[in-house]
Amino acid sequence: DKRAHTINKRFGRIKRRLGITDGSVVFHSLRNTFINAAENAGVPENITQLIVGHHRESLTFGVYSRGVELKVLLGEVQKITFGRIDKLV
């Protein structure tokens, strides 16, 4: 829980520095935005779950799979775009 607290505090400081005052913009807003972009890019749900750290519930992937190779994950992440914002990264 300390990691989440630290990340949330840091996000809050960065948000204030950027002048973002909307209280609905929270650290998990990034996760929501990423997951929506992944879905729109056609990234399979099981891959998105691995990327964002969600537990996979299914018997097939949740119990028997050892996971996906990093090069596969990278390929799926590279499908995701945020339009003009991509140039800032």
Side-chain angles (χ1 to χ4, degrees):
D1 288 337
K2 286 186 177 184
R3 275 186 287 169
H5 177 75
T6 303
I7 290 169
N8 280 320
K9 285 289 191 187
R10 183 173 289 172
F11 181 80
R13 286 192 295 270
I14 291 169
K15 187 173 81 164
R16 281 189 295 281
R17 248 186 278 143
L18 293 172
I20 300 170
T21 58
D22 185 346
S24 68
V25 177
V26 296
F27 181 71
H28 272 80
S29 299
L30 298 174
R31 180 176 274 193
N32 295 341
T33 301
F34 179 85
I35 291 171
N36 286 330
E39 185 173 23
N40 286 313
V43 177
E45 183 177 6
N46 68 304
I47 300 290
T48 302
Q49 288 173 324
L50 286 170
I51 294 168
V52 301
H54 286 164
H55 180 71
R56 299 190 300 173
E57 298 284 333
S58 75
L59 184 62
T60 306
F61 291 135
V63 175
Y64 292 105
S65 175
R66 286 186 270 155
V68 177
E69 294 180 10
L70 286 177
K71 66 181 178 181
V72 174
L73 295 175
L74 177 61
E76 294 298 322
V77 168
Q78 289 174 334
K79 292 179 181 178
I80 299 167
T81 180
F82 295 100
R84 294 182 299 167
I85 295 174
D86 290 351
K87 294 177 184 176
L88 298 173
V89 177

